[in-house]
Amino acid sequence: MKKTVFPNDFLWGGAIAANQIEGAWNEDGKTIGLSDLFIYNKDKDNTKLHASDMTSQQVEFAKNDKHGYYPKRHGIDFYHTYKSDLKYLKEMGFKTLRISINWARIYPTIDTTKPNELGLKFYDDLINEIIKNGMEPIITILHYEIPLYITEQLGGWENKKTIALYEVFAKTILDRYHDRVRYWIPINQINLVHIEPFISIGTCIDKTDNYELSKFQGVHNQMVASALVKKYAKQQKFNIKIGSMLADLTAYPENAHPDNILLALKHNRLNYFYTDVQFRGEYPGYINRYFADNDLTIEVSEQEKTLLKDNTLDFLAVSYYFSQMVSVDQSREFSTSYASSKKNPFIDATPWGWAIDSKGLYNCLSCYWDRYQKPILIAENGLGMHDKLINETVNDDYRITYLKAHLIAINECLKDGVDVFGFCAWGPIDLVSASTQEMEKRYGFVFVDINNTGEGSKKRYRKQSFHWYKKVIATNGKSLGE
Ligand code: BG6
């Protein structure tokens, strides 16, 4: 019997993103966003990451294509079904639901003189409905929902004008929803810029002379924008907390060879770079050296430096799915990509190659806590799998095993005194995969009958994990020790 120590006000719940669930991609004034440009191609190996780079020709093609299936344009039609969908989450006893706001619903064009009232109203209703169902909404301001006009007219986040547009968007939604939402995350997984550059910063690969520089400049501008959100919240005396979000990329060294130890150190520093800036308020020496060694000159003004220093963020949001292992045999010296991650022979992986490692969660949370002592929200965790609907349910004991092990790892951190204040299971109701565009890479407690090409009854079914998670929440985690 394991003793569980989840605090009484622990935020049990789930996380979704507008672009992967809402559908209604061109309704009520919304214009096209970058995530709407990814096609599902059934002839490709969909286990590989597709959403990484795009050329302006590919963008143009997708924008005008009338034949292909673009899953994120449809999601699970949550835009129209959210009221009945939220009932399932209520039934499980969710205390929180992390959502995102689709930027192109609020400002459908580059003209920021007036927001789209229909878009604001949708999120008003959604937030009220979440609260009505007993959950606290958490908002991600930008979760891969860059409007296409940012890419086409400004070239993405590397352009400083994007900061100003984001600021208007962020202030509009902060003004409107701050009284109902305590926790805000300005940018989803800010550190994934090197893995999913296009949906992170919106720069087409053919529109830059130095892609590496565009990525670092884009992410610098996102950190400035995040500091502006914090500054505004302080100025307005909003009673809210602003978080920095990382997708955990902590890596183990392949072995005790000093070169591998140092490689892992350098790899992990790149993971910490973003939170080092957002929590400590300045660029660390190791990254300045990296920029110098690689002839990367990022435009950072004195004013921006002061802004970052004066507006550090309040909590750490972490999404955790897998651990990584690096080896000098496979890596560039300062590794920034999944490609550098070697298969760890001690750990099983999912069909998508994601290493299943609950100890890696204990490891990374402990490292973050030791480094920052900031409250931690598990903003995402879960197991994407092919599920089989049999007799109106899915026997997803593999998902239960995965989640149980990860929750026990969190419990171990809590015992160490790590301040983890919530757990958001990713995609509690099935939704479209961010990286592969598959509907059939499922994470949910609720099965949605839609396949990869959009066919299906759209009916919802409770999986076995639904009943399991309900009990975990009802017992405040105690059932994990049974
Ligand atoms: C996170 C993203 O990286 O991983 C989510 O924030 C995403 O948007 C999740 O869905 C799982 O990844 P995937 O590619 O399996 O959907």
Side-chain angles (χ1 to χ4, degrees):
M1 179 79 129
K2 284 204 166 53
K3 190 170 173 278
T4 52
V5 292
F6 290 90
N8 287 336
D9 56 355
F10 192 74
L11 290 175
W12 296 100
I16 57 178
N19 75 90
Q20 292 166 254
I21 197 165
E22 284 176 3
W25 67 291
N26 56 2
E27 283 183 43
D28 292 340
K30 181 187 170 292
T31 54
I32 194 162
L34 300 194
S35 292
D36 301 323
L37 296 172
F38 292 102
I39 196 165
Y40 174 75
N41 188 337
K42 61 177 176 352
D43 301 323
K44 266 191 175 172
D45 174 4
N46 285 287
T47 58
K48 300 280 176 320
L49 199 72
H50 292 319
S52 45
D53 304 321
M54 266 220 175
T55 63
S56 47
Q57 289 84 350
Q58 286 172 321
V59 167
E60 200 54 26
F61 173 83
K63 197 173 92 176
N64 300 312
D65 182 24
K66 299 272 178 288
H67 306 291
Y69 182 64
Y70 294 80
K72 289 175 188 154
R73 297 183 185 181
H74 311 283
I76 61 162
D77 200 28
F78 186 75
Y79 192 78
H80 299 112
T81 60
Y82 70 88
K83 286 194 179 161
S84 48
D85 285 337
L86 290 177
K87 292 222 161 53
Y88 288 100
L89 309 187
K90 179 186 180 183
E91 194 184 324
M92 277 185 280
F94 273 36
K95 312 274 186 242
T96 190
L97 181 65
R98 175 178 164 241
I99 59 170
S100 66
I101 309 276
N102 203 323
W103 187 347
R105 285 198 197 287
I106 310 300
Y107 286 101
T109 71
I110 203 160
D111 176 5
T112 53
T113 44
K114 218 160 104 335
N116 174 25
E117 189 50 37
L118 286 177
L120 286 170
K121 169 131 187 358
F122 169 70
Y123 292 107
D124 254 326
D125 294 347
L126 174 60
I127 288 168
N128 290 343
E129 197 69 19
I130 291 170
I131 295 170
K132 205 170 101 188
N133 282 288
M135 294 171 254
E136 169 168 351
I138 295 176
I139 289 187
T140 310
I141 299 177
L142 180 56
H143 189 138
Y144 305 145
E145 290 111 5
I146 300 177
L148 181 57
Y149 59 80
I150 299 279
T151 291
E152 290 187 327
Q153 297 180 51
L154 300 178
W157 269 98
E158 68 173 311
N159 186 334
K160 297 238 180 241
K161 287 185 187 151
T162 301
I163 304 176
L165 293 182
Y166 173 92
E167 192 184 1
V168 176
F169 163 55
K171 284 181 175 174
T172 304
I173 60 173
L174 282 164
D175 286 345
R176 186 93 170 205
Y177 311 126
H178 72 89
D179 56 338
R180 284 163 284 167
V181 180
R182 257 195 306 173
Y183 296 104
W184 293 74
I185 299 166
I187 307 281
N188 183 59
Q189 305 184 148
I190 193 159
N191 61 328
L192 282 201
V193 61
H194 297 281
I195 291 155
E196 303 172 331
F198 183 67
I199 45 170
S200 297
I201 55 155
T203 301
C204 289
I205 194 158
D206 56 317
K207 292 287 180 190
T208 169
D209 298 332
N210 186 338
Y211 203 26
E212 189 75 350
L213 181 61
S214 300
K215 291 177 201 169
F216 277 112
Q217 185 66 59
V219 97
H220 167 75
N221 292 346
Q222 290 186 339
M223 293 196 281
V224 169
S226 306
L228 286 168
V229 169
K230 176 69 193 277
K231 185 178 171 191
Y232 186 66
K234 279 196 301 192
Q235 271 171 356
Q236 300 299 111
K237 299 199 169 36
F238 290 160
N239 188 19
I240 62 175
K241 302 274 182 220
I242 313 296
S244 171
M245 181 167 169
L246 297 181
D248 179 64
L249 298 180
T250 308
Y252 306 121
E254 183 180 27
N255 54 38
H257 191 295
D259 287 346
N260 281 327
I261 303 284
L262 292 193
L263 179 71
L265 173 85
K266 289 178 180 182
H267 173 103
N268 292 340
R269 271 182 179 163
L270 192 72
N271 183 45
Y272 295 132
F273 151 54
Y274 312 84
T275 32
D276 279 359
V277 176
Q278 296 197 299
F279 291 146
R280 294 171 167 167
E282 55 193 28
Y283 271 59
Y286 60 82
I287 200 81
N288 288 330
R289 176 184 173 179
Y290 178 71
F291 292 157
D293 288 354
N294 290 281
D295 289 329
L296 296 168
T297 309
I298 318 292
E299 275 181 51
V300 182
S301 69
E302 287 308 311
Q303 204 191 350
E304 288 173 348
K305 281 187 190 162
T306 310
L307 182 81
L308 290 170
K309 190 83 200 158
D310 293 347
N311 296 284
T312 55
L313 305 190
D314 306 313
F315 69 96
L316 172 63
V318 181
S319 61
Y320 179 85
Y321 293 90
F322 49 75
S323 62
Q324 296 195 70
M325 186 184 82
V326 287
S327 159
V328 279
D329 295 344
Q330 285 213 330
S331 288
R332 286 177 286 145
E333 207 222 338
F334 198 75
S335 146
T336 58
S337 82
Y338 282 167
S340 65
S341 183
K342 200 171 175 180
K343 185 167 174 352
N344 187 333
F346 302 104
I347 300 172
D348 287 337
T350 73
W352 287 265
W354 292 19
I356 300 174
D357 181 17
S358 60
K359 293 199 169 90
L361 179 57
Y362 176 81
N363 179 49
C364 76
L365 293 183
S366 306
C367 294
Y368 293 130
W369 180 254
D370 291 349
R371 200 170 176 106
Y372 304 119
Q373 291 88 45
K374 291 280 185 189
I376 298 175
L377 171 72
I378 308 301
E380 291 176 28
N381 175 240
L383 180 66
M385 287 295 267
H386 292 116
D387 286 344
K388 275 204 176 65
L389 185 70
I390 298 170
N391 296 332
E392 308 217 324
T393 187
V394 175
N395 193 359
D396 56 346
D397 46 350
Y398 41 85
R399 183 165 294 112
I400 296 173
T401 305
Y402 177 99
L403 287 168
K404 182 172 180 183
H406 286 73
L407 286 168
I408 287 173
I410 293 166
N411 188 52
E412 290 301 304
C413 291
L414 289 167
K415 285 187 192 166
D416 291 340
V418 181
D419 179 6
V420 183
F421 66 90
F423 178 82
C424 300
W426 175 248
I429 178 157
D430 291 345
L431 40 66
V432 177
S433 158
S435 60
T436 72
Q437 328 308 321
E438 290 163 290
M439 186 63 215
E440 294 173 54
K441 185 184 187 191
R442 299 172 186 277
Y443 287 86
F445 303 114
V446 178
F447 182 93
V448 180
D449 182 21
I450 302 177
N451 70 10
N452 285 339
T453 42
E455 292 121 6
S457 66
K458 293 194 181 161
K459 277 196 184 159
R460 278 61 168 155
Y461 300 91
R462 293 168 190 80
K463 304 182 194 176
Q464 290 309 302
S465 56
F466 180 102
H467 308 290
W468 170 82
Y469 195 44
K470 183 177 173 181
K471 190 166 175 203
V472 171
I473 299 176
T475 61
N476 199 34
K478 298 219 169 21
S479 62
L480 296 165
E482 287 168 1

